[in-house]
Amino acid sequence: MTRILTGGLGKTEVAGIVERLALDGVEVVVTNDMDAAVQLRAGRADYFLGTCQTGAGASLGVLVGLVGATACHTFGRSVPSEGEIDALLDQGKKVFGFAVDQIGAITPALAGAIAART
C-alpha cells in the first residue's frame, strides 16, 4: 500500500481528489507538515503533496528542512507534463509542492503516476 500524505492550504481538497480517483494500492491521509516529515522519515508514508498560494514556499518549507531538499520538488504555479512527473519520480522525489489554483490539474496526474508505480 502506497501512503500519500497531504498538507497545506488545500490539503482536504487534494485528499478528496485522490480518494475519488479510487486508485488501487493508494491510501491518502490529511496531515500537517510536521507530522508528515516524521512519517516520511520513519518510513510510515511514501509521498507528501503540499499546497500553498504560490506552491513554492509554505507548501514545502518544513519538509525541505526535515526530509531534505533532494527528496522535494515544487511545481510552483506550473502544471507539469506526464513525462516531467515520471522523471521526478524516477529521481526519487517524494515531496511535492504546488499552488492551490493548480490542485485540479496536478493532483490527478501526480497521484496517477504514483499509483502506476505500486
Side-chain angles (χ1 to χ4, degrees):
M1 177 71 62
T2 298
R3 192 167 199 221
I4 299 173
L5 307 176
T6 66
L9 292 175
K11 64 187 174 187
T12 304
E13 185 179 352
V14 171
I17 291 171
V18 175
E19 287 173 351
R20 284 189 297 280
L21 291 170
L23 301 165
D24 287 337
V26 173
E27 173 189 17
V28 64
V29 177
V30 175
T31 188
N32 63 57
D33 296 0
M34 289 300 292
D35 287 342
V38 169
Q39 289 185 54
L40 287 164
R41 289 178 57 156
R44 294 191 312 260
D46 303 291
Y47 296 93
F48 176 80
L49 309 182
T51 54
C52 69
Q53 291 298 334
T54 65
S59 65
L60 297 182
V62 170
L63 281 294
V64 169
L66 296 177
V67 177
T70 58
C72 301
H73 178 79
T74 180
F75 296 113
R77 298 184 59 76
S78 66
V79 176
S81 69
E82 184 178 318
E84 290 170 314
I85 291 171
D86 284 335
L88 292 165
L89 293 171
D90 288 344
Q91 294 168 24
K93 303 294 184 188
K94 304 273 183 195
V95 177
F96 298 92
F98 46 97
V100 291
D101 63 347
Q102 301 302 332
I103 289 173
I106 294 176
T107 303
L110 189 52
I114 289 169
R117 293 170 180 260
T118 60

